[in-house]
């Protein structure tokens, strides 16, 4: 219940007053306090929450952004991430679509249908409790940033009251912070709270997506009372056994490997990586369903499984498939065989942002895996599901587009310790796409229903759109695999004329504030003014057809030549994609790879075979997705 400070319990009223006077965290003097900063201060005073606690919790949820009242991909709203799944959209599964997640021509296409949950999980409806405390309606909490902050403060005060702790010291609010995470288990709740108190000790200042300067001044909160978590009635720590760094909350929720009555088996393949095959990629996904539903799907022997799932509210991680084994997740068997799949709880089209707790936990996991397997921390190897190529022309249209244009790749690479920086001289022949995420606000369509044409809210995006000429009014490029001869669209799922942050492209020209790059065999133009660049000069190698070659074929997988296959393994098709890589065009090189095919069509892993050829391929950034060209068809040279 919301009450004026004068009507709060004496200890809470005193706490509010002392926090504002002793711990005021105004924005830097040159900017002056922002209204958002003042809203945090007012809410902290009203509900007696230490201001640094309120700011720390909000940062770990939303980085203090309002997101124009749009939901996160896990149905959270506003700076305090008050969740309302009813308003945000329905529940489904990432794999309820036309994509065959295995992507292996040697087996029948796999199209399992996930059961739909009938009710939202309680953890995705915190807006209701906050609305009851404030005697207001959920709609106001979703759309009004100041009221949203009040709602979050009211929840923290309620959790503290339920603990029976009467203190104005931030260190004594550890249990309330842990409860705010929404975690059902003690380890995840403590991990969330530890992140908040680490943020309090280090401090932070940033400009939000709506131009608000907010500052959390670094200050020691003392040693927090971590014993409070034991009084929250949470599940005991999950048993060990998962392949995770020690700094995250992680549990093993194993996917079954068993034969089914119909003779099929699932829901992944046993292997012996990296001894059998090098792991080259980590693929970032979102689940299109809730955490609970995703875990149930991964445990269904008739469904399919990936390696990890990351929860939105607190960053908890579940591992389903050992990293040595091959998950069915990317829709391309070559990429599956060479990758680790990490799903993130989220609803791509119906949500427009991901929580900071999820970003941080995911980055710790991916950094750990990259170091363990020698995977470069760049966008040629840390890829989205939307960057995975189709296997043949017929599969391109069914490939997925998650985690979508609202995943903040620049921030993610900051957390990975590999920030996007210029690596070339001005005027270099390569660029790294790097718009300001907060200022790069785009209006896509189809967030209500893919293909509807209805505009989404204009909000922050990592994407940069390409045009056929240096003008915002020029048509978008064509993706022959997606649209035939028609131009691409601004549908949120349409990656046919869209570059992603961190990707490298070869420069094809400049004109004023516009830069052209080679993209799907075409020149694509994007706005890149010197005063607010959307790309950075980059160094590296480019691939171009060898002299005398009018064009070279482009492939969606790096499979061996037919002569490399043993007699008991059918040779796999090398059908080229419906694109043209013509003489004079250049594409950024992600690496040179050998040719491999993992034959795993039977339940008995003794029958599994890794076929290796002598053909070598070059991974290139050809469009939004990576593709492969035969090394014998191209020449590699430094970008100039």
């Amino acid at each position: 219940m919301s009450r004026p400070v004068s009507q709060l319990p004496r200890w809470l009223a005193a706490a509010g007053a002392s926090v504002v006077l002793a711990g005021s965290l105004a924005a830097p003097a040159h900017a002056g306090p922002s209204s958002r900063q003042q809203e945090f201060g007012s809410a902290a005073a009203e509900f007696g929450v230490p201001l640094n606690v309120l700011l720390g919790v909000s940062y770990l949820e939303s980085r203090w952004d309002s997101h124009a009242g749009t939901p996160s991909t896990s149905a959270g709203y506003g700076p305090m991430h008050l969740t309302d799944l009813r308003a945000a959209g329905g529940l489904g599964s990432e794999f309820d679509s036309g994509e065959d997640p295995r992507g292996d021509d040697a087996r029948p296409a796999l199209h399992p249908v996930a059961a739909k949950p009938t009710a939202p999980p309680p953890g995705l409806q915190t807006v209701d409790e906050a609305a009851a405390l404030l005697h207001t309606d959920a709609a106001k909490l979703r759309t009004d940033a100041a009221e949203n902050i009040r709602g979050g403060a009211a929840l923290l005060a309620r959790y503290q009251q339920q603990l029976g702790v009467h203190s104005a010291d931030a260190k004594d609010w550890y249990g309330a912070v842990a409860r705010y995470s929404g975690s059902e288990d003690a380890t995840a709740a403590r991990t969330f709270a530890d992140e908040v108190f680490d943020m309090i000790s280090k401090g932070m200042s940033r400009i939000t997506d709506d131009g608000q300067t907010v500052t959390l001044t670094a200050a020691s909160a003392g040693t927090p009372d971590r014993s409070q978590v034991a009084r929250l009635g949470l599940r005991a720590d999950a048993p060990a056994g998962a392949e995770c760094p020690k700094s995250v909350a992680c549990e093993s929720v194993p996917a079954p490997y068993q034969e089914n009555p119909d003779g099929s088996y699932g829901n992944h393949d046993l292997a012996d990586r990296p001894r059998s095959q090098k792991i080259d990629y980590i693929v970032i996904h979102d689940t299109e369903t809730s955490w609970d539903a995703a875990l149930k799907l991964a445990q269904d022997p008739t469904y399919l499984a990936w390696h990890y799932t990351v929860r939105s509210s607190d960053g908890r991680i579940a591992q389903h498939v050992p990293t040595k084994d091959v998950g069915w997740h990317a829709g391309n068997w070559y990429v599956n065989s060479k990758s680790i799949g990490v799903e993130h709880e989220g609803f791509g089209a119906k949500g427009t942002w991901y929580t900071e707790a999820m970003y941080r936990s995911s980055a710790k996991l991916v950094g750990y895996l990259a170091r363990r397997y020698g995977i470069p921390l760049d966008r040629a190897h840390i890829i989205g599901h939307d960057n995975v190529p189709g296997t043949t022309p017929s599969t391109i249209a069914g490939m997925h587009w998650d985690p979508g244009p609202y995943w903040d790749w620049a921030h993610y690479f900051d957390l990975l310790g590999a920030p996007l920086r210029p690596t070339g001289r001005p005027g270099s022949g390569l660029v790294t796409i790097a718009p300001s995420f907060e200022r790069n606000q785009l209006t896509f369509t189809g967030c209500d229903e893919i293909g509807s044409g209805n505009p989404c809210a204009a909000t922050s995006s990592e994407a940069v759109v390409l045009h056929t000429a240096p003008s915002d009014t020029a048509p978008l490029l064509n993706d022959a695999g997606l649209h035939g001869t028609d131009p691409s669209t601004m549908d949120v799922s349409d990656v046919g004329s869209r570059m992603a942050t961190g990707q490298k492209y070869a420069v094809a020209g400049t004109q004023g504030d516009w830069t052209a790059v080679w993209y799907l065999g075409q020149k694509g133009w994007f706005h890149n003014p010197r005063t607010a660049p959307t790309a950075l000069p980059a160094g590296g190698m480019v691939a171009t057809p060898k002299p005398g070659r009018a064009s070279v074929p482009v492939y969606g997988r790096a499979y061996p030549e037919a002569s490399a296959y043993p007699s008991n393994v059918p040779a796999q098709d090398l059908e080229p994609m419906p694109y043209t890589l013509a003489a004079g065009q250049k594409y950024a090189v992600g690496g040179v790879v050998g040719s491999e095919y993992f034959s795993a069509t039977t339940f008995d892993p003794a029958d599994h075979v890794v076929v290796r050829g002598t053909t070598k391929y070059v991974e290139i950034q050809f469009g939004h997705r990576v593709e492969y060209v035969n090394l014998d068809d191209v020449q590699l040279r430094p970008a100039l």
Side-chain angles (χ1 to χ4, degrees), residues 416-596:
L416 284 170
L420 304 179
R421 292 173 176 159
T423 57
R425 294 179 296 179
S428 169
L430 278 177
V431 290
T432 299
I433 305 306
S436 165
F437 185 79
E438 286 76 21
R439 293 195 299 270
N440 188 48
Q441 300 208 352
L442 301 179
T443 302
F444 295 102
T445 61
C447 290
D448 55 344
E449 182 179 354
I450 299 300
S452 71
N454 296 326
C456 309
T459 189
S460 298
S461 174
E462 56 80 43
V464 172
V465 176
L466 290 165
H467 297 267
T468 55
S471 168
D472 287 324
T473 60
L476 303 184
L477 300 184
N478 161 255
D479 184 332
L482 286 177
H483 305 294
T485 58
D486 295 330
S488 299
T489 71
M490 285 298 289
D491 191 277
V492 69
S493 68
D494 189 345
V495 299
S497 189
R498 185 186 303 170
M499 301 182 293
T501 290
Q503 292 178 330
K504 287 184 179 181
Y505 291 89
V507 174
T510 58
Q511 184 172 320
D513 286 341
W514 289 77
T515 299
V517 296
W518 291 111
Y519 187 100
L520 296 179
Q522 306 158 77
K523 278 189 179 181
W525 293 86
F526 68 101
H527 196 225
N528 187 30
R530 292 183 180 180
T531 56
T534 51
L536 305 171
M541 304 292 289
V542 295
T544 190
K546 283 186 173 179
R549 298 294 302 269
S551 65
V552 300
V554 177
Y555 303 101
R557 47 199 177 183
Y559 278 173
E561 64 279 4
S563 61
Y565 291 83
S567 59
N568 62 331
V569 178
Q572 298 301 299
D573 190 14
L574 277 173
E575 184 178 359
M577 304 303 253
Y579 307 117
T580 300
L581 198 171
Q585 297 180 9
K586 303 173 186 177
Y587 292 89
V589 171
V592 177
V593 299
S595 51
E596 292 182 358

Side-chain angles (χ1 to χ4, degrees), residues 163-253:
L163 279 171
V165 178
H166 299 257
S167 172
D169 291 338
K171 66 182 179 62
D172 296 321
W173 284 71
Y174 188 92
V177 172
R179 170 77 182 277
Y180 198 96
S181 71
S183 304
E184 299 118 351
D185 56 274
T187 301
R190 281 195 298 267
T191 301
F192 179 90
D194 287 342
E195 285 280 358
V196 169
F197 279 85
D198 182 63
M199 180 63 58
I200 290 171
S201 68
K202 293 178 178 177
M204 176 63 65
S205 184
R206 70 181 294 264
I207 299 175
T208 67
D209 60 351
D210 55 354
Q212 302 282 318
T213 299
V214 181
T215 301
L216 168 58
T217 300
S220 173
T223 303
D225 184 3
R226 300 176 86 246
S227 68
Q228 292 178 353
V229 174
R231 293 151 55 189
L232 298 179
L234 302 178
R235 187 178 68 193
D237 293 351
E243 301 169 277
C244 288
K246 294 180 179 179
S247 57
V248 299
C250 189
E251 64 180 313
S252 176
V253 183

Side-chain angles (χ1 to χ4, degrees), residues 113-145:
V113 177
K116 302 294 192 296
T118 57
L124 293 182
Q125 286 301 131
T126 59
V127 73
D128 294 341
E129 185 179 0
L133 289 170
L134 297 186
H135 296 293
T136 188
D137 59 77
K140 190 170 187 180
L141 291 176
R142 292 195 302 266
T143 57
D144 186 316

Side-chain angles (χ1 to χ4, degrees), residues 240-277:
E243 301 169 277
C244 288
K246 294 180 179 179
S247 57
V248 299
C250 189
E251 64 180 313
S252 176
V253 183
Y257 185 77
Q258 64 187 57
E259 284 191 287
N260 301 316
D262 63 359
S264 66
Y265 71 93
N267 48 19
H268 59 284
D269 279 293
L270 301 187
D272 191 22
R273 305 182 308 173
R275 288 199 299 177
S276 60
Q277 287 183 285

Side-chain angles (χ1 to χ4, degrees), residues 276-278 334 338 558-560 594-598 610-613:
S276 60
Q277 287 183 285
K278 187 177 182 297
Y334 175 79
K338 307 283 288 179
Y559 278 173
S595 51
E596 292 182 358
Y597 171 66
F598 179 41
V610 178
V611 180
R612 292 186 174 87

